[in-house]
Amino acid sequence: MARIPEPVIEQVRDATDIVDFISQYVQLQKSGKNLFGLCPFHEERTPSFSVSEDKQIFHCFSCGRGGNVFKFLMELENLSFQEAVVKVADFSHVELDATITRQAAGTSGQSDPQSPTNQLIHLHQEATKLYHHILMNTEAGQPALDYLHERV
Ligand SMILES: [Zn+2]
């Protein structure tokens, strides 16, 4: 998989609330500034897994695991960092492919044959061919062709 550029990773992180994300997996209870729940990484009866909304990180006082939203998903589903970013982006509706493509191509959409600009260029090329055909091969084009030959 292509390396995800740092600004895109930041965009995904900014678009994601770690509390929303972890709430999919862990039932969290607000307690003071943080939220607590049962650690998803091991069996436990008293919640020692905490999530900080301010810092956008998690930390388990029992097993010591901690980190940001990507780290959480990497640990939980045994993913690589890139895979975790892709999944979190999907959760937060950040269109990763489009963003990465834009980054790679540097904002130009020239490679897309369906873009208005390229359709116009194509149309222009077709028109040029048509006029060339009229000029060279039809009676309607004869006076113009004569004129051009006289000029040479
Ligand atoms: Zn734990």
Short mmCIF file of all heavy atoms in Angstrom, two decimals, residues 10-49:
data_model
loop_
_atom_site.label_atom_id
_atom_site.label_comp_id
_atom_site.label_asym_id
_atom_site.label_seq_id
_atom_site.Cartn_x
_atom_site.Cartn_y
_atom_site.Cartn_z
N GLU A 10 -2.87 13.58 9.57
CA GLU A 10 -3.34 14.62 10.50
C GLU A 10 -4.81 14.94 10.25
O GLU A 10 -5.59 15.13 11.18
CB GLU A 10 -2.51 15.89 10.33
CG GLU A 10 -1.21 15.84 11.11
CD GLU A 10 -0.32 17.04 10.79
OE1 GLU A 10 -0.86 18.11 10.46
OE2 GLU A 10 0.91 16.88 10.85
N GLN A 11 -5.17 15.00 8.97
CA GLN A 11 -6.56 15.30 8.60
C GLN A 11 -7.51 14.24 9.17
O GLN A 11 -8.57 14.56 9.71
CB GLN A 11 -6.67 15.36 7.08
CG GLN A 11 -7.98 15.97 6.60
CD GLN A 11 -8.19 15.77 5.10
OE1 GLN A 11 -7.24 15.51 4.36
NE2 GLN A 11 -9.41 15.87 4.66
N VAL A 12 -7.10 12.99 9.06
CA VAL A 12 -7.92 11.88 9.56
C VAL A 12 -8.03 11.98 11.09
O VAL A 12 -9.11 11.85 11.66
CB VAL A 12 -7.31 10.51 9.16
CG1 VAL A 12 -8.08 9.38 9.82
CG2 VAL A 12 -7.31 10.35 7.65
N ARG A 13 -6.90 12.27 11.74
CA ARG A 13 -6.90 12.37 13.20
C ARG A 13 -7.77 13.53 13.67
O ARG A 13 -8.54 13.42 14.62
CB ARG A 13 -5.45 12.53 13.71
CG ARG A 13 -5.29 12.21 15.19
CD ARG A 13 -3.83 12.13 15.56
NE ARG A 13 -3.10 13.25 15.00
CZ ARG A 13 -1.85 13.18 14.51
NH1 ARG A 13 -1.20 12.05 14.54
NH2 ARG A 13 -1.27 14.24 14.01
N ASP A 14 -7.68 14.67 12.94
CA ASP A 14 -8.49 15.84 13.29
C ASP A 14 -9.99 15.56 13.12
O ASP A 14 -10.81 16.10 13.83
CB ASP A 14 -8.10 17.04 12.42
CG ASP A 14 -6.75 17.60 12.81
OD1 ASP A 14 -6.23 17.18 13.86
OD2 ASP A 14 -6.21 18.43 12.07
N ALA A 15 -10.31 14.74 12.13
CA ALA A 15 -11.72 14.47 11.81
C ALA A 15 -12.33 13.45 12.77
O ALA A 15 -13.54 13.22 12.76
CB ALA A 15 -11.84 13.99 10.38
N THR A 16 -11.48 12.82 13.58
CA THR A 16 -11.94 11.72 14.43
C THR A 16 -11.93 12.09 15.90
O THR A 16 -10.94 12.63 16.39
CB THR A 16 -11.03 10.49 14.23
OG1 THR A 16 -10.89 10.24 12.83
CG2 THR A 16 -11.62 9.27 14.92
N ASP A 17 -13.02 11.80 16.59
CA ASP A 17 -13.03 11.90 18.05
C ASP A 17 -12.76 10.51 18.59
O ASP A 17 -13.52 9.57 18.32
CB ASP A 17 -14.39 12.41 18.52
CG ASP A 17 -14.40 12.67 20.03
OD1 ASP A 17 -13.46 12.20 20.72
OD2 ASP A 17 -15.33 13.32 20.51
N ILE A 18 -11.67 10.38 19.33
CA ILE A 18 -11.27 9.06 19.84
C ILE A 18 -12.38 8.44 20.70
O ILE A 18 -12.54 7.22 20.73
CB ILE A 18 -9.92 9.14 20.61
CG1 ILE A 18 -9.33 7.74 20.81
CG2 ILE A 18 -10.07 9.89 21.93
CD1 ILE A 18 -7.91 7.73 21.34
N VAL A 19 -13.15 9.29 21.37
CA VAL A 19 -14.23 8.78 22.23
C VAL A 19 -15.31 8.10 21.37
O VAL A 19 -15.75 6.99 21.68
CB VAL A 19 -14.85 9.91 23.07
CG1 VAL A 19 -16.06 9.41 23.85
CG2 VAL A 19 -13.82 10.50 24.02
N ASP A 20 -15.67 8.75 20.27
CA ASP A 20 -16.65 8.14 19.35
C ASP A 20 -16.13 6.81 18.82
O ASP A 20 -16.86 5.83 18.73
CB ASP A 20 -16.90 9.06 18.14
CG ASP A 20 -17.72 10.28 18.52
OD1 ASP A 20 -18.32 10.27 19.62
OD2 ASP A 20 -17.76 11.24 17.74
N PHE A 21 -14.86 6.85 18.46
CA PHE A 21 -14.29 5.66 17.82
C PHE A 21 -14.23 4.49 18.78
O PHE A 21 -14.69 3.38 18.48
CB PHE A 21 -12.89 5.97 17.27
CG PHE A 21 -12.40 4.88 16.36
CD1 PHE A 21 -12.78 4.87 15.03
CD2 PHE A 21 -11.62 3.85 16.84
CE1 PHE A 21 -12.37 3.85 14.18
CE2 PHE A 21 -11.21 2.82 16.01
CZ PHE A 21 -11.58 2.82 14.68
N ILE A 22 -13.68 4.74 19.97
CA ILE A 22 -13.52 3.64 20.94
C ILE A 22 -14.87 3.18 21.47
O ILE A 22 -15.05 2.00 21.80
CB ILE A 22 -12.55 4.06 22.07
CG1 ILE A 22 -11.14 4.18 21.50
CG2 ILE A 22 -12.58 3.06 23.23
CD1 ILE A 22 -10.06 4.56 22.50
N SER A 23 -15.85 4.07 21.48
CA SER A 23 -17.20 3.71 21.96
C SER A 23 -17.83 2.59 21.13
O SER A 23 -18.76 1.93 21.58
CB SER A 23 -18.11 4.93 21.94
OG SER A 23 -17.67 5.87 22.89
N GLN A 24 -17.31 2.41 19.90
CA GLN A 24 -17.80 1.29 19.09
C GLN A 24 -17.43 -0.05 19.72
O GLN A 24 -18.08 -1.06 19.51
CB GLN A 24 -17.14 1.29 17.71
CG GLN A 24 -17.42 2.46 16.83
CD GLN A 24 -16.62 2.30 15.53
OE1 GLN A 24 -17.17 1.91 14.53
NE2 GLN A 24 -15.33 2.57 15.58
N TYR A 25 -16.32 -0.06 20.48
CA TYR A 25 -15.77 -1.31 21.00
C TYR A 25 -15.90 -1.45 22.51
O TYR A 25 -15.97 -2.54 23.03
CB TYR A 25 -14.27 -1.43 20.64
CG TYR A 25 -13.99 -1.28 19.17
CD1 TYR A 25 -13.65 -0.04 18.63
CD2 TYR A 25 -14.05 -2.39 18.33
CE1 TYR A 25 -13.38 0.09 17.27
CE2 TYR A 25 -13.78 -2.27 16.98
CZ TYR A 25 -13.45 -1.02 16.45
OH TYR A 25 -13.20 -0.89 15.11
N VAL A 26 -15.88 -0.30 23.19
CA VAL A 26 -15.86 -0.31 24.65
C VAL A 26 -16.96 0.61 25.17
O VAL A 26 -17.13 1.72 24.67
CB VAL A 26 -14.49 0.21 25.19
CG1 VAL A 26 -14.45 0.14 26.71
CG2 VAL A 26 -13.33 -0.55 24.58
N GLN A 27 -17.70 0.10 26.16
CA GLN A 27 -18.70 0.94 26.78
C GLN A 27 -18.01 1.88 27.77
O GLN A 27 -17.41 1.42 28.75
CB GLN A 27 -19.73 0.08 27.50
CG GLN A 27 -21.07 0.77 27.59
CD GLN A 27 -22.11 -0.11 28.22
OE1 GLN A 27 -21.94 -1.33 28.32
NE2 GLN A 27 -23.21 0.49 28.63
N LEU A 28 -18.07 3.17 27.49
CA LEU A 28 -17.32 4.14 28.29
C LEU A 28 -18.24 4.92 29.21
O LEU A 28 -19.35 5.30 28.83
CB LEU A 28 -16.57 5.11 27.38
CG LEU A 28 -15.45 4.49 26.51
CD1 LEU A 28 -14.99 5.50 25.47
CD2 LEU A 28 -14.28 4.03 27.35
N GLN A 29 -17.76 5.14 30.43
CA GLN A 29 -18.50 5.94 31.41
C GLN A 29 -17.68 7.17 31.75
O GLN A 29 -16.50 7.06 32.05
CB GLN A 29 -18.70 5.13 32.71
CG GLN A 29 -19.50 3.87 32.53
CD GLN A 29 -21.00 4.13 32.53
OE1 GLN A 29 -21.46 5.16 33.03
NE2 GLN A 29 -21.76 3.20 31.95
N LYS A 30 -18.32 8.32 31.72
CA LYS A 30 -17.60 9.54 32.06
C LYS A 30 -17.32 9.60 33.56
O LYS A 30 -18.20 9.30 34.37
CB LYS A 30 -18.41 10.76 31.62
CG LYS A 30 -17.62 12.05 31.74
CD LYS A 30 -17.79 12.93 30.51
CE LYS A 30 -16.89 14.14 30.66
NZ LYS A 30 -16.17 14.56 29.52
N SER A 31 -16.07 9.91 33.89
CA SER A 31 -15.69 10.03 35.29
C SER A 31 -14.66 11.14 35.42
O SER A 31 -13.50 10.96 35.04
CB SER A 31 -15.12 8.70 35.80
OG SER A 31 -14.60 8.87 37.09
N GLY A 32 -15.10 12.30 35.88
CA GLY A 32 -14.20 13.45 35.92
C GLY A 32 -13.91 13.91 34.50
O GLY A 32 -14.82 14.01 33.68
N LYS A 33 -12.64 14.15 34.22
CA LYS A 33 -12.27 14.63 32.89
C LYS A 33 -12.21 13.51 31.85
O LYS A 33 -12.30 13.76 30.66
CB LYS A 33 -10.88 15.30 32.95
CG LYS A 33 -10.95 16.76 33.39
CD LYS A 33 -9.57 17.39 33.36
CE LYS A 33 -9.21 17.85 31.94
NZ LYS A 33 -7.93 18.58 31.89
N ASN A 34 -12.03 12.29 32.34
CA ASN A 34 -11.82 11.18 31.42
C ASN A 34 -13.02 10.24 31.36
O ASN A 34 -13.96 10.36 32.14
CB ASN A 34 -10.56 10.40 31.80
CG ASN A 34 -9.32 11.25 31.65
OD1 ASN A 34 -9.28 12.17 30.84
ND2 ASN A 34 -8.32 10.95 32.45
N LEU A 35 -12.93 9.29 30.45
CA LEU A 35 -13.95 8.25 30.35
C LEU A 35 -13.29 6.91 30.66
O LEU A 35 -12.13 6.69 30.32
CB LEU A 35 -14.56 8.21 28.95
CG LEU A 35 -15.35 9.47 28.55
CD1 LEU A 35 -14.51 10.43 27.75
CD2 LEU A 35 -16.59 9.08 27.76
N PHE A 36 -14.04 6.05 31.32
CA PHE A 36 -13.48 4.76 31.70
C PHE A 36 -14.34 3.62 31.19
O PHE A 36 -15.56 3.75 31.04
CB PHE A 36 -13.36 4.65 33.23
CG PHE A 36 -12.24 5.46 33.79
CD1 PHE A 36 -12.42 6.81 34.08
CD2 PHE A 36 -10.99 4.88 34.00
CE1 PHE A 36 -11.37 7.57 34.58
CE2 PHE A 36 -9.94 5.64 34.50
CZ PHE A 36 -10.13 6.99 34.80
N GLY A 37 -13.67 2.49 30.94
CA GLY A 37 -14.38 1.29 30.52
C GLY A 37 -13.52 0.07 30.77
O GLY A 37 -12.37 0.18 31.23
N LEU A 38 -14.08 -1.10 30.47
CA LEU A 38 -13.32 -2.34 30.63
C LEU A 38 -12.34 -2.46 29.46
O LEU A 38 -12.72 -2.31 28.31
CB LEU A 38 -14.26 -3.55 30.66
CG LEU A 38 -15.22 -3.60 31.85
CD1 LEU A 38 -16.21 -4.74 31.67
CD2 LEU A 38 -14.45 -3.75 33.16
N CYS A 39 -11.07 -2.71 29.77
CA CYS A 39 -10.03 -2.78 28.74
C CYS A 39 -10.36 -3.88 27.73
O CYS A 39 -10.64 -5.02 28.11
CB CYS A 39 -8.68 -3.05 29.39
SG CYS A 39 -7.34 -3.05 28.19
N PRO A 40 -10.34 -3.55 26.45
CA PRO A 40 -10.67 -4.56 25.43
C PRO A 40 -9.52 -5.52 25.14
O PRO A 40 -9.69 -6.48 24.40
CB PRO A 40 -10.96 -3.70 24.18
CG PRO A 40 -10.17 -2.46 24.38
CD PRO A 40 -10.09 -2.22 25.86
N PHE A 41 -8.37 -5.26 25.75
CA PHE A 41 -7.19 -6.07 25.44
C PHE A 41 -7.01 -7.24 26.41
O PHE A 41 -6.15 -8.08 26.23
CB PHE A 41 -5.93 -5.20 25.43
CG PHE A 41 -6.02 -4.08 24.42
CD1 PHE A 41 -6.07 -2.76 24.84
CD2 PHE A 41 -6.09 -4.34 23.06
CE1 PHE A 41 -6.17 -1.72 23.91
CE2 PHE A 41 -6.19 -3.32 22.13
CZ PHE A 41 -6.24 -2.00 22.56
N HIS A 42 -7.78 -7.27 27.47
CA HIS A 42 -7.70 -8.40 28.40
C HIS A 42 -8.97 -8.44 29.24
O HIS A 42 -9.75 -7.48 29.25
CB HIS A 42 -6.46 -8.29 29.31
CG HIS A 42 -6.36 -6.96 29.99
ND1 HIS A 42 -6.99 -6.69 31.18
CD2 HIS A 42 -5.74 -5.82 29.63
CE1 HIS A 42 -6.73 -5.45 31.53
NE2 HIS A 42 -5.98 -4.89 30.60
N GLU A 43 -9.14 -9.55 29.95
CA GLU A 43 -10.30 -9.71 30.84
C GLU A 43 -10.09 -8.88 32.09
O GLU A 43 -9.01 -8.90 32.69
CB GLU A 43 -10.41 -11.19 31.26
CG GLU A 43 -10.81 -12.13 30.14
CD GLU A 43 -12.29 -12.04 29.83
OE1 GLU A 43 -13.07 -11.77 30.77
OE2 GLU A 43 -12.65 -12.21 28.66
N GLU A 44 -11.11 -8.12 32.48
CA GLU A 44 -11.03 -7.44 33.77
C GLU A 44 -12.44 -7.12 34.25
O GLU A 44 -13.38 -7.08 33.47
CB GLU A 44 -10.18 -6.17 33.67
CG GLU A 44 -10.74 -5.09 32.77
CD GLU A 44 -9.90 -3.81 32.82
OE1 GLU A 44 -8.82 -3.83 33.43
OE2 GLU A 44 -10.35 -2.79 32.28
N ARG A 45 -12.56 -6.95 35.57
CA ARG A 45 -13.89 -6.70 36.15
C ARG A 45 -14.09 -5.27 36.57
O ARG A 45 -15.22 -4.78 36.62
CB ARG A 45 -14.09 -7.62 37.36
CG ARG A 45 -14.23 -9.03 36.84
CD ARG A 45 -14.39 -10.03 37.91
NE ARG A 45 -14.46 -11.34 37.26
CZ ARG A 45 -14.98 -12.40 37.81
NH1 ARG A 45 -15.47 -12.33 39.03
NH2 ARG A 45 -15.01 -13.53 37.17
N THR A 46 -12.97 -4.60 36.86
CA THR A 46 -13.08 -3.18 37.20
C THR A 46 -12.41 -2.37 36.10
O THR A 46 -11.30 -2.70 35.69
CB THR A 46 -12.41 -2.86 38.55
OG1 THR A 46 -11.11 -3.44 38.55
CG2 THR A 46 -13.22 -3.41 39.71
N PRO A 47 -13.11 -1.35 35.62
CA PRO A 47 -12.59 -0.58 34.49
C PRO A 47 -11.27 0.11 34.81
O PRO A 47 -11.21 0.94 35.71
CB PRO A 47 -13.68 0.45 34.23
CG PRO A 47 -14.90 -0.07 34.90
CD PRO A 47 -14.41 -0.85 36.07
N SER A 48 -10.22 -0.24 34.06
CA SER A 48 -8.95 0.48 34.22
C SER A 48 -8.50 1.08 32.90
O SER A 48 -7.40 1.59 32.77
CB SER A 48 -7.87 -0.46 34.77
OG SER A 48 -7.85 -1.66 34.05
N PHE A 49 -9.39 1.01 31.94
CA PHE A 49 -9.11 1.55 30.61
C PHE A 49 -9.70 2.95 30.53
O PHE A 49 -10.90 3.15 30.73
CB PHE A 49 -9.76 0.62 29.57
CG PHE A 49 -9.59 1.06 28.15
CD1 PHE A 49 -8.44 0.75 27.45
CD2 PHE A 49 -10.60 1.76 27.50
CE1 PHE A 49 -8.29 1.14 26.12
CE2 PHE A 49 -10.46 2.15 26.18
CZ PHE A 49 -9.30 1.83 25.49
#
